[in-house]
């Protein structure tokens, strides 16, 4: 994986690309390129052996012009302030392209959770929740899961916040489990939007999804669900990978069996029905119809992009292509469904969860999935209209044209204060 691209600079260059097509003043664009504020905090917790350890953590509130800040919390050794700021910005433009009334935020702790016990992780999460409490709230800033966090961490944050505030406020966080006020369909939502967007792209490009070959990089929440759902739609998942490596079978892998193998052994590698093992680079350059990067940022840089053979890329991960890779793939006519649309299912169903929490009235899974499909199809149609209206070659630029305009409109309607 390329380490060199700074994701925050990638975000800013994506905004600049779109701004060239928009009639928005440079002073407003400048505001839309930076977070409104960033919390940097040091969390010191007691480990199981009685010693203390310090962890650095961040929360970036990028833009709240269209609604409360919204965005996940990541636990990873490579978390940095620039990464968190970039992810918070991508979130602000993601909520804008799917047109849900939320802004953009993101948080993270520099930690490899695999090195700590469950009780240590609970103390760390609750320590972060204490720091977050003055900033978050269902009408202020609403965290959610991201890499290496899930329902468990969301429940701890909700409980800490509600205890400190002496209230019940399930909408302070999304991605909770059902018993704590979560939504049906949330766990699957990111993978689901990734494949719904791919289905729409195949239709737009007049390509057949039935029998199409698919490779998926990253086999966590987003990747494995995408693999399972695209397999259910009739495509053939020929390769999947995780941080230990990849597996390949030209006749197709069984996504559920591969996931069971990962649950049992910690990795998809060694899955008995694979013909070959692959590196992540091999996987990303396979000759497939659809590539789904679902791991981390900067998976494909300009050099690797030269070797990419996929016709369509649906970005389940945030920022998997560097700007250089984007330019190379545009020249190669690869249709890239940008992250801010492809993986927007997560935040869209988080929005549904928040709506259900505020109404104390819960939807069926069928309703959640149908509403999600409607949002993604409408956003994809809007993307295509913009590609055609502005004669754009890069769908990402079209997505930012739509999203930056929406955020700028909200800002300009509200006016500046002070
Ligand atoms: P996760 O922790 O559940 O899974 C991450 C997966 O990526 C794991 O299988 C891990 O082994 C793999 N991975 C890590 N480094 C890798 C590498 N170098 N090569 C191949 N695989 C590697 O995380 P997730 O929630 O599935 O998130 C994955 C991506 O999707 C992130 O970019 C995240 O921001 C994005 N995303 C997630 C959600 C969500 O709702 N979970 C929503 C929107 C976007």
């Amino acid at each position: 994986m390329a380490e060199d691209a700074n994701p925050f600079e990638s975000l800013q260059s994506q905004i600049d690309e779109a701004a060239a097509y928009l009639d928005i003043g440079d002073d407003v664009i400048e505001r839309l390129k930076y977070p409104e504020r960033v919390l940097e905090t040091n969390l010191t917790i007691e480990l199981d052996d009685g010693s203390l350890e310090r962890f650095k953590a961040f929360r970036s509130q990028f833009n709240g012009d269209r609604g409360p800040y919204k965005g996940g919390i990541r636990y990873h050794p490579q978390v940095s302030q620039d990464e968190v700021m970039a992810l918070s910005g991508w979130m602000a433009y993601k909520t804008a392209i799917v047109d849900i009334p939320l802004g953009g935020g993101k948080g993270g702790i520099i930690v490899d959770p695999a090195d700590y016990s469950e009780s240590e992780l609970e103390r760390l999460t609750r320590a972060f929740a204490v720091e977050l409490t003055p900033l978050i709230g269902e009408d202020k800033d609403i965290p959610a899961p991201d890499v290496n966090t899930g329902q468990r961490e969301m429940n701890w944050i909700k409980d800490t916040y509600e205890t400190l505030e002496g209230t019940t406020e399930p909408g302070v966080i999304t991605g909770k489990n059902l018993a704590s006020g979560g939504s049906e369909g949330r766990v699957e939502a990111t993978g689901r939007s990734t494949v719904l967007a791919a289905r729409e792209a195949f239709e737009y490009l007049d390509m057949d999804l039935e029998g199409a070959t698919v490779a998926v990089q990253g086999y966590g929440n987003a990747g494995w669900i995408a693999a399972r759902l695209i397999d259910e739609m009739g495509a053939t998942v020929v390769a999947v990978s995780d941080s230990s490596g990849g597996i390949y079978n030209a006749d197709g892998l069984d996504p559920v069996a591969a996931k069971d193998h990962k649950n049992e052994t910690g990795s998809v590698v060694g899955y008995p029905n694979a013909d070959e093992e692959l590196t992540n680079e091999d996987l990303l350059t396979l000759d497939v119809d659809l590539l789904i990067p679902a791991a981390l940022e900067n998976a494909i840089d300009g050099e690797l992009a030269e070797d990419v053979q996929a016709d369509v890329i649906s970005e389940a991960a945030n920022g998997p292509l560097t700007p250089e890779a984007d330019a190379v793939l545009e020249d190669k006519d690869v249709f890239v469904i940008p992250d801010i649309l492809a993986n927007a299912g997560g935040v869209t169903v988080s929005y549904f969860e928040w709506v259900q929490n505020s109404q104390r009235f819960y939807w069926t899974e069928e309703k959640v999935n149908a509403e999600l499909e409607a949002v993604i199809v409408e956003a994809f149609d809007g993307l295509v209209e913009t590609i055609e209206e502005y004669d754009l070659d890069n769908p990402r630029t079209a997505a930012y044209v739509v999203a930056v305009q929406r955020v700028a409109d909200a800002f300009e309607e509200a006016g500046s204060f002070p």
Side-chain angles (χ1 to χ4, degrees):
M1 185 177 293
E3 304 284 353
D4 48 352
N6 176 321
F8 186 59
E9 288 169 10
S10 299
L11 165 78
Q12 294 191 316
S13 80
Q14 289 158 354
I15 297 168
D16 283 334
E17 292 256 331
Y21 295 90
L22 292 169
D23 185 19
I24 300 174
D26 290 348
D27 48 354
V28 174
I29 291 294
E30 181 73 2
R31 179 179 189 278
L32 301 185
K33 284 166 67 176
Y34 288 88
E36 293 174 16
R37 66 191 64 79
V38 183
L39 168 78
E40 177 185 319
T41 177
N42 289 293
L43 310 170
T44 300
I45 62 148
E46 189 175 319
L47 302 182
D48 292 343
D49 67 5
S51 65
L52 299 176
E53 187 166 337
R54 179 186 65 86
F55 301 85
K56 195 174 276 297
F58 306 95
R59 178 80 184 165
S60 169
Q61 296 180 329
F62 193 90
N63 186 286
D65 290 323
R66 301 181 66 264
Y69 309 100
K70 181 89 194 79
I73 291 182
R74 175 175 295 195
Y75 289 0
H76 197 276
Q78 277 158 22
V79 162
S80 67
Q81 181 166 337
D82 276 352
E83 183 190 65
V84 170
M85 292 195 305
L87 288 161
S88 68
W90 284 324
M91 189 55 102
Y93 295 106
K94 190 178 304 183
T95 52
I97 192 165
V98 289
D99 208 6
I100 56 178
L102 295 168
K106 201 79 182 192
I109 306 180
I110 304 175
V111 59
D112 185 347
D115 295 342
Y116 297 88
S117 70
E118 181 165 352
S119 63
E120 289 167 337
L121 291 173
E122 178 170 354
R123 287 195 288 284
L124 182 62
T125 304
R126 288 185 184 276
F128 194 27
V130 170
E131 295 301 317
L132 290 174
T133 289
L135 299 179
I136 63 175
E138 63 184 2
D139 294 321
K140 289 160 76 177
D141 182 354
I142 307 145
D146 190 65
V147 174
N148 289 328
T149 61
Q151 293 180 335
R152 183 181 69 171
E153 289 75 15
M154 300 307 109
N155 296 342
W156 287 332
I157 295 174
K158 169 178 172 282
D159 181 66
T160 307
Y161 174 88
E162 290 183 333
T163 304
L164 292 174
E165 294 291 293
T167 188
T168 50
E169 196 178 313
V172 66
I173 197 151
T174 59
K176 305 176 292 289
N177 68 13
L178 291 178
S180 301
S183 176
E184 297 285 355
R186 173 62 185 88
V187 171
E188 298 196 339
T190 303
R192 186 173 292 277
S193 68
T194 304
V195 304
L196 285 171
R199 183 194 72 188
E200 295 303 295
F202 271 58
E203 202 180 313
Y204 173 62
L205 299 168
D206 218 5
M207 289 170 63
D208 206 353
L209 193 58
E210 183 76 37
T213 51
V214 183
V216 181
Q217 184 214 21
Y219 217 56
N221 176 271
W224 113 260
I225 298 286
R228 199 196 87 208
L229 294 177
I230 205 112
D231 175 75
E232 286 172 9
M233 285 179 180
T236 305
V237 178
V238 295
V240 302
S241 69
D242 57 32
S243 50
S244 305
I247 52 172
Y248 177 80
N249 186 330
D251 297 327
L253 297 159
D254 175 346
V256 178
K259 173 67 173 167
D260 289 344
H261 182 80
K262 181 171 169 66
N263 287 347
E264 280 160 28
T265 66
S267 172
V268 293
V269 175
Y271 170 63
N273 293 329
D275 284 348
E276 277 176 53
E277 295 194 351
L278 300 172
T279 65
N280 268 288
E281 289 206 347
D282 295 337
L283 179 139
L284 294 165
T285 54
L286 279 174
D287 186 6
V288 286
D289 299 306
L290 173 65
L291 174 64
I292 300 180
L296 295 172
E297 299 91 76
N298 298 337
I300 304 179
D301 62 12
E303 208 183 316
L304 193 64
E306 300 283 358
D307 298 329
V308 166
Q309 299 184 71
D311 298 308
V312 178
I313 296 179
S314 191
E315 295 183 328
N318 286 304
L321 310 187
T322 65
E324 293 72 28
D326 224 12
V328 170
L329 294 171
E330 183 182 325
D331 285 348
K332 291 173 66 167
D333 280 336
V334 179
F335 192 92
V336 178
I337 310 164
D339 47 7
I340 60 170
L341 199 165
N343 72 31
V347 72
T348 302
V349 176
S350 275
Y351 163 58
F352 297 158
E353 181 176 335
W354 180 69
V355 168
Q356 295 168 73
N357 288 155
S358 65
Q359 297 181 338
R360 304 293 199 267
F361 185 74
Y362 289 85
W363 303 357
T364 61
E365 188 174 357
E366 291 68 33
K367 179 171 165 71
V368 170
N369 290 344
E371 296 281 346
L372 172 61
E373 182 166 356
V375 167
I376 298 300
V377 169
E378 191 176 332
F380 190 87
D381 289 348
L383 181 83
V384 167
E385 269 171 37
T386 308
I387 289 174
E388 288 171 2
E389 182 184 339
Y390 292 86
D391 196 19
L392 295 169
D393 292 325
N394 190 333
R396 189 186 316 280
T397 307
Y400 278 90
V401 164
V402 176
V404 171
Q405 185 68 62
R406 284 192 181 140
V407 178
D409 286 347
F411 169 64
E412 293 191 297
E413 284 300 319
S416 253
F417 179 84

